[in-house]
Amino acid sequence: MNGVIVTNPPKAAEKDVAALSGYGVATVHEAMGRTGCLGPGLRPIQQGARIAGTAVTVLSWPGDNLMIHAAVEQCGEGDVLVVTTTSPSTDGMFGELFATALQRRGVRGLVIDAGVRDTAELRAMGFPVWSAAVCAQGTVKATAGSVNVPVVIGGQCVRPGDVVLADDDGVMYVPRERSGEAVEAAEARTAKEEASRAAFAEGQLGLDRYGLRETLVRLGVHYQSHEEYQRNGPRP
């Protein structure tokens, strides 16, 4: 395939990215109407890391990391490198040498829908990674691809400059034009959760706080004592 390297794409506002960095992936995902999740296939190689940054995207040939080398030049402070391949690949396309170069440029982490290796070294140097696989299999540098073009991961289209958030729960993105909206929604969601947390700590049940008793009735769910259930079985 022919390739292209797009330079200086538009990015989400830095203040919005900074604000979103304070929220977990699950909170922002829920706040944005349960959208943006890149699926369960991307898992962290470490625990306890949380990042938010603007996407620099890479579309590579399977087993070929040439375009990751090209992408390093396009990365800067506050970016997250987002890599996928034209067809499924588990080869170890990224390791500690790449991470060293990216850390020098202020990149906050890697999301790769393929394989990664040197995981012990990556954890030791504090470079967070979310990947679809961990594999020692090496790669070549021989095939054209693209940098800073829209890429599809987990059925979601991530564009350069979109906000990427990642933590122990996985990875999500927010379209760059909606970053301000996401901050407001995450703030509201957090306030709502704090109120619920306080109520639950005082003993209130979710059945009552969320009005779920009426839902149970509407769905035909009923209560029986153990003796009734043993004697008669569940009601039809």
Side-chain angles (χ1 to χ4, degrees):
M1 69 178 185
N2 294 325
V4 62
I5 298 173
V6 180
T7 61
N8 299 316
K11 295 183 177 183
E14 290 183 13
K15 64 180 180 59
D16 295 336
V17 178
L20 287 171
S21 69
Y23 299 102
V25 167
T27 295
V28 180
H29 166 67
E30 291 281 356
M32 293 299 287
R34 297 180 181 172
T35 62
C37 180
L38 301 191
L42 298 174
R43 301 305 306 151
I45 67 164
Q46 67 287 308
Q47 293 294 307
R50 175 184 289 180
I51 63 170
T54 46
V56 172
T57 62
V58 180
L59 180 62
S60 288
W61 199 261
D64 191 312
N65 66 6
L66 172 64
M67 300 315 295
I68 299 180
H69 283 279
V72 172
E73 184 181 27
Q74 304 304 315
C75 290
E77 186 73 36
D79 286 332
V80 173
L81 188 62
V82 178
V83 180
T84 191
T85 51
T86 56
S87 61
S89 175
T90 58
D91 294 344
M93 298 176 64
F94 185 99
E96 56 130 345
L97 295 180
F98 271 136
T100 300
L102 291 176
Q103 267 192 338
R104 174 66 177 80
R105 302 178 78 86
V107 174
R108 292 174 179 167
L110 168 75
V111 172
I112 181 168
D113 191 19
V116 65
R117 61 186 187 178
D118 301 336
T119 54
E121 290 82 0
L122 292 170
R123 285 189 291 270
M125 64 192 296
F127 188 82
V129 171
W130 288 257
S131 70
V134 173
C135 184
Q137 177 65 48
T139 57
V140 299
K141 302 165 180 59
T143 314
S146 294
V147 175
N148 278 335
V149 297
V151 296
V152 176
I153 300 177
Q156 304 291 321
C157 182
V158 181
R159 301 166 304 160
D162 286 346
V163 186
V164 175
L165 300 96
D167 61 18
D168 287 347
D169 291 334
V171 185
M172 73 163 294
Y173 86 104
V174 174
R176 57 185 182 244
E177 301 91 345
R178 301 185 66 190
S179 60
E181 174 190 347
V183 173
E184 294 178 359
E187 290 174 349
R189 175 81 186 182
T190 299
K192 180 180 178 181
E193 289 178 346
E194 289 175 350
S196 294
R197 187 177 300 107
F200 294 153
E202 292 296 319
Q204 186 177 17
L205 297 174
L207 284 173
D208 299 312
R209 184 166 185 82
Y210 302 139
L212 297 178
R213 295 190 188 279
E214 293 81 358
T215 301
L216 293 176
V217 171
R218 177 172 55 81
L219 295 176
V221 179
H222 60 278
Y223 289 83
Q224 278 184 300
S225 69
H226 175 71
E227 292 78 9
E228 290 175 322
Y229 187 81
Q230 290 294 104
R231 183 173 61 250
N232 303 321
R235 295 179 189 174

